[in-house]
């Protein structure tokens, strides 16, 4: 029984570099595609397939996202000066936008759109949370305090990772994991295949 398990483990830990699943994982994970066989089958292949599905969906809505981003940048005072439907023109690069509050003709605006929207937005939020819905205002304040507390707690927990008993426990788990799960071996195709003469 153990011999069969060893054989199966050995077979599963060796994969062909030309296989569809290796190409998918290598495309998504890049240099991090290699590693342990267990994580390859349990995590990397499913994540790669999900990533491909996500890429297919996102490709269909990429133009909508570009228009949305250019609109957001306009609200914050930056005008897009390239072709919006040209995928080669990045909407995230600063060089495709005029300077802050600069018009296309080079003159400057006195106010950015967000500055004009800030006054009624703040007045509306204060009205809603203080007068109209005071219970919601208390909840928003409680949530804000809770999130700040969680961030502080995460900071102290991550600082505790260097505590010696935790370091030893992590090393023990890592050793056990290395014994159970073999490293992944990617078998490359030979450069020149032998031909029978």
């Amino acid at each position: 029984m153990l011999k069969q398990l060893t054989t199966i483990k050995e077979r599963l830990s060796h994969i062909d570099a030309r296989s569809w699943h290796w190409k998918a994982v290598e495309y998504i994970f890049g240099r991090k595609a290699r590693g342990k066989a267990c994580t390859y089958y349990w995590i990397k292949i499913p994540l790669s397939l999900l990533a491909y599905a996500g890429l297919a969906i996102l490709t269909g809505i990429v133009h909508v996202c570009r228009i949305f981003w250019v609109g957001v940048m306009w609200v914050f005072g930056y005008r897009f000066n390239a072709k919006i439907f040209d995928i080669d023109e990045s909407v995230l690069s600063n060089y495709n936008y005029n300077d802050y509050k600069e018009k296309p003709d080079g003159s400057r605006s006195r106010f950015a759109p967000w500055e004009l929207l800030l006054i009624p937005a703040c007045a509306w939020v204060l009205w809603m949370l203080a007068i109209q819905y005071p219970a919601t205002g208390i909840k928003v304040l409680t949530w804000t305090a809770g999130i700040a507390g969680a961030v502080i707690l995460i900071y102290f927990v991550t600082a505790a990772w260097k505590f010696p008993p935790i370091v030893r426990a992590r090393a023990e788990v890592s050793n056990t994991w290395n014994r159970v799960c073999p490293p992944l071996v990617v078998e490359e195709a030979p450069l020149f295949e032998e031909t029978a003469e």
Side-chain angles (χ1 to χ4, degrees):
M1 180 72 177
L2 286 175
K3 187 176 180 183
Q4 290 174 338
L5 286 175
T6 306
T7 305
I8 291 171
K9 191 162 77 168
E10 184 73 21
R11 236 181 233 166
L12 288 175
S13 65
H14 288 72
I15 59 167
D16 188 1
R18 295 171 292 182
S19 62
W20 66 268
H21 50 86
W22 170 251
K23 289 179 181 176
V25 170
E26 187 179 33
Y27 179 76
I28 298 298
F29 284 91
R31 290 181 293 142
K32 295 186 178 182
R34 296 180 186 269
K36 296 285 188 181
C38 302
T39 54
Y40 178 76
Y41 287 106
W42 297 343
I43 297 171
K44 291 179 181 175
I45 290 178
L47 282 180
S48 297
L49 295 178
L50 283 173
Y52 268 105
L55 286 173
I57 292 168
L58 288 176
T59 301
I61 59 172
V62 67
H63 287 298
V64 174
C65 293
R66 288 172 63 86
I67 292 169
F68 173 76
W69 186 255
V70 169
V72 167
M73 292 298 286
W74 176 81
V75 167
F76 285 103
Y78 297 95
R79 294 175 191 253
F80 194 64
N81 59 19
K83 295 177 182 174
I84 194 166
F85 293 110
D86 187 1
I87 297 296
D88 294 331
E89 298 287 345
S90 174
V91 295
L92 302 175
S93 298
N94 290 340
Y95 66 85
N96 282 335
Y97 291 93
N98 292 337
D99 289 337
Y100 182 61
K101 295 185 185 179
E102 184 182 354
K103 294 180 182 177
D105 62 0
S107 62
R108 296 186 58 81
S109 299
R110 176 169 258 179
F111 297 105
W114 72 270
E115 294 172 325
L116 299 175
L117 294 172
L118 193 61
I119 296 168
C122 287
W124 181 77
V125 168
L126 286 174
W127 170 262
M128 293 301 285
L129 295 181
I131 296 171
Q132 196 74 13
Y133 300 105
T136 306
I138 292 171
K139 287 178 186 175
V140 168
L141 186 61
T142 305
W143 272 98
T144 304
I147 290 170
V151 168
I152 292 169
L153 183 67
I154 288 170
Y155 171 77
F156 284 115
V157 166
T158 53
W161 277 85
K162 297 175 183 173
F163 190 56
I166 294 177
V167 171
R168 285 194 298 274
R170 281 202 329 257
E172 186 62 34
V173 168
S174 178
N175 289 338
T176 305
W177 175 252
N178 288 336
R179 285 195 304 272
V180 170
C181 188
L184 184 70
V185 177
V186 181
E187 296 174 350
E188 303 288 338
L191 294 176
F192 300 103
E193 295 193 16
E194 296 179 14
T195 55
E197 293 184 19

